[in-house]
Amino acid sequence: MTVAGVQTSGATRPDDDYGENLEVASILVIDDEPGMRNFLTKVLTPRCKRVEQARSAREASDLLDQAHFDLIILDNIMPETAGLDWLDEQRRVGLFADAILITAYADLDTAIRALRAGVADFVLKPFRANQILNAVARALDRKYLRRENYLLKHELSEGGISARGRLLGQSPAVQDVRDMLAKVAPQRTTVLFTGASGTGKEVAARTLHGLSDRAEAPFVAVNCAAISPDKISEELFGVLQDGQPLKEGLFLHADGGTLFLDEVAQLPAQAQATLLRVLEDQRIRPAGAEREIPLNPRFLFATNADLDAAVAEGRFRADLYHRINVFRIEMPLLRDRTEDIVELAAYFMSEFSRALGLPALELNEEVFLKLSRYDWPGNVRELRNLIERSVILGAFPAEFSGEGRITGPEAIETLELVEQRHILNVLDACGGNRAEAARRLGVSRKTIDRKCASWGV
């Protein structure tokens, strides 16, 4: 049986597998025939995140002003305007969604115009439900593949792959960070990560994203200091040129996911003003576009700068500072979590040995002790770089090498070695003052003397 140009036999099978991209997609159906609109809505709704319908080009334009869609299914023959004419107009003002054209009247000229308008697929009426679902699935697969490729190239260009590790460590300082991440993750609250360079702000941000209900959506990391000031607008918001999307921009790729802006203090003044407006309105305007695009990313920020001083000196907008400083998480220095150094060193050694295809170096109790007593001004990043360099060279630098007898988990977990590293770290923090170290540790001075004598210190 055929209804409104659609063959309805076997039309609804929500258990069919058309790919996971269909499940997270938002789709706009535009057709002046109620039967066609209702049919497409009925077929797509059980399988998609959101489906809206418009009965005219004017109504569709209004919907685009209110929300962003991943895909548009568009009838070509409508009373007010032809679908392709409307699509051309929307591309000129700023439409970045993919489109599928449905029509009962197809010729070579229409096909050529559809390709020029950037139509992803062309479906002839009458069609079955599985035909339109397959067309939608193909279009979404291509769209998300483009996004994944774009984001992967972006990450590689910024060295972001190295920040995909876990938030390691069992120290009280790291556990406090984990507790705060768990509390804020379910919310949409803006989070500002602060702390010195190399303390793991992006790792913490990725951890928060993984704990949120957006974990399956993109995590887009942007280093604001790495983008040229004259390019930052088009990199973030996209570019429309000659009526066609030239670049979608990182904000658009983060729609529905998480956008992490690192080194936010380095944004130029004009970009700060634009970012404030985006945060308040949840809309962006690509360069060359007339329409503002509504978006739904979660915003995370990071900086190693003193933002209070930057505001006082007029280098950072006070209103933007208060807008991003809703929930602050301060990342601890590595020297303030020395008990985590051993675990981090072992993890990095395993990671680089596997990634580089080179033998892992021996991590014995002497090496661990020297690593634990070093000050690490570059924090976790400096430790990571040291391990990578040592694996490549096949040896630790002289100041970290050692001829210990205990290796592996025993060197990490043995209580006596853990105690030794902790006591010597406290002694280092006290400048070698054993009385002060004993006071901080809650033991007698004689205990410290006896321990140090047994260790030959």
Side-chain angles (χ1 to χ4, degrees):
M1 182 175 65
T2 301
V3 177
V6 179
Q7 297 179 11
T8 61
S9 59
T12 305
R13 290 187 59 190
D15 57 335
D16 284 342
D17 183 13
Y18 289 97
E20 59 184 15
N21 290 329
L22 198 62
E23 299 172 4
V24 297
S26 56
I27 298 177
L28 175 60
V29 174
I30 310 170
D31 200 301
D32 62 306
E33 297 180 14
M36 175 64 78
R37 290 198 311 275
N38 294 335
F39 176 81
L40 290 172
T41 302
K42 182 179 179 181
V43 168
L44 293 167
T45 297
R47 298 173 172 87
C48 300
K49 180 180 179 181
R50 178 167 60 97
V51 179
E52 301 281 350
Q53 56 173 278
R55 58 190 172 185
S56 67
R58 183 180 302 139
E59 188 175 322
S61 300
D62 292 340
L63 284 171
L64 289 175
D65 289 334
Q66 300 167 23
H68 172 67
F69 294 89
D70 298 304
L71 184 67
I72 293 171
I73 299 177
L74 173 69
D75 185 28
N76 192 36
I77 307 300
M78 293 188 293
E80 293 180 352
T81 182
L84 285 176
D85 291 337
W86 176 84
L87 189 61
D88 282 337
E89 177 189 344
Q90 297 305 310
R91 293 288 189 214
R92 284 193 294 272
V93 299
L95 174 66
F96 285 76
D98 285 359
I100 292 176
L101 190 71
I102 55 175
T103 182
Y105 309 97
D107 53 36
L108 182 59
D109 181 61
T110 302
I112 293 173
R113 282 197 61 202
L115 288 173
R116 288 175 176 170
V119 169
D121 211 337
F122 197 102
V123 182
L124 294 176
K125 299 178 183 178
F127 52 80
R128 295 181 181 273
N130 67 306
Q131 290 177 277
I132 192 67
L133 285 169
N134 280 323
V136 168
R138 286 194 302 269
L140 291 171
D141 287 347
R142 289 193 294 267
K143 176 184 179 69
Y144 290 127
L145 182 60
R146 290 198 310 269
R147 181 176 71 180
E148 289 170 8
N149 288 339
Y150 182 88
L151 293 179
L152 181 58
K153 289 178 181 178
H154 167 71
E155 277 198 278
L156 289 171
S157 70
E158 294 199 345
I161 298 297
S162 63
R164 286 188 168 184
R166 295 173 291 153
L167 186 61
L168 297 175
Q170 302 301 322
S171 64
V174 168
Q175 194 54 54
D176 286 345
V177 171
R178 283 202 188 94
D179 291 343
M180 287 189 286
L181 293 176
K183 289 179 181 177
V184 77
Q187 315 302 326
R188 281 199 59 188
T189 307
T190 298
V191 179
L192 174 63
F193 294 90
T194 57
S197 178
T199 50
K201 295 185 287 294
E202 184 174 338
V203 172
R206 287 182 182 274
T207 301
L208 188 152
H209 173 72
L211 293 171
S212 74
D213 58 2
R214 298 169 180 249
E216 300 303 317
F219 177 93
V220 181
V222 182
N223 185 344
C224 299
I227 304 176
S228 172
D230 60 331
K231 296 288 186 182
I232 197 161
S233 179
E234 62 185 59
E235 288 291 330
L236 296 181
F237 308 125
V239 181
L240 191 73
Q241 184 174 317
D242 298 328
Q244 292 295 327
L246 186 63
K247 179 182 289 186
E248 291 186 339
L250 293 166
F251 274 57
L252 194 59
H253 285 297
D255 187 36
T258 300
L259 184 67
F260 174 65
L261 295 178
D262 198 4
E263 304 294 354
V264 66
Q266 302 299 315
L267 282 174
Q270 182 57 46
Q272 290 181 33
T274 304
L275 176 59
L276 177 63
R277 188 167 63 250
V278 170
L279 290 172
E280 291 176 344
D281 299 340
Q282 296 289 297
R283 292 169 175 266
I284 63 167
R285 176 175 290 177
E290 298 176 23
R291 169 184 281 124
E292 291 187 334
I293 303 175
L295 293 181
N296 177 34
R298 181 178 189 172
F299 290 95
L300 306 179
F301 299 90
T303 182
N304 57 16
D306 184 342
L307 282 183
D308 292 290
V311 170
E313 295 167 7
R315 293 182 287 108
F316 198 81
R317 294 179 63 110
D319 46 5
L320 178 58
Y321 172 62
H322 294 305
R323 186 66 181 77
I324 69 175
N325 189 30
V326 178
F327 194 97
R328 180 185 291 208
I329 297 179
E330 178 80 16
M331 298 302 295
L333 301 171
L334 186 55
R335 65 171 174 263
D336 294 333
R337 43 180 293 214
T338 53
E339 55 265 62
D340 295 333
I341 291 173
V342 168
E343 180 183 353
L344 287 165
Y347 172 78
F348 291 145
M349 181 62 68
S350 174
E351 178 188 63
F352 285 119
S353 173
R354 183 177 61 255
L356 299 173
L358 295 171
L361 303 183
E362 183 179 84
L363 289 166
N364 57 56
E365 81 273 19
E366 291 294 329
V367 172
F368 279 141
L369 182 59
K370 290 180 178 181
L371 292 173
S372 296
R373 298 187 73 180
Y374 179 62
D375 195 47
W376 299 111
N379 296 292
V380 177
R381 184 180 294 123
E382 183 181 3
L383 172 60
R384 187 180 188 279
N385 292 346
L386 169 73
I387 300 296
E388 181 178 10
R389 184 168 61 252
S390 299
V391 169
I392 293 171
L393 295 175
F396 287 107
E399 60 268 31
F400 293 109
S401 62
E403 298 295 331
R405 297 173 293 102
I406 306 173
T407 61
E410 189 178 355
I412 298 174
E413 300 167 2
T414 299
L415 182 59
E416 182 181 350
L417 295 177
V418 173
E419 180 185 64
Q420 179 190 25
R421 290 192 290 265
H422 182 58
I423 290 175
L424 292 180
N425 281 326
V426 174
L427 266 173
D428 290 340
C430 297
N433 187 322
R434 295 187 178 185
E436 174 61 18
R439 187 189 69 78
R440 293 189 187 184
L441 291 166
V443 298
S444 68
R445 165 67 185 267
K446 288 183 178 180
T447 298
I448 299 296
D449 290 339
R450 186 174 67 256
K451 295 284 186 183
C452 287
S454 68
W455 299 329
V457 177

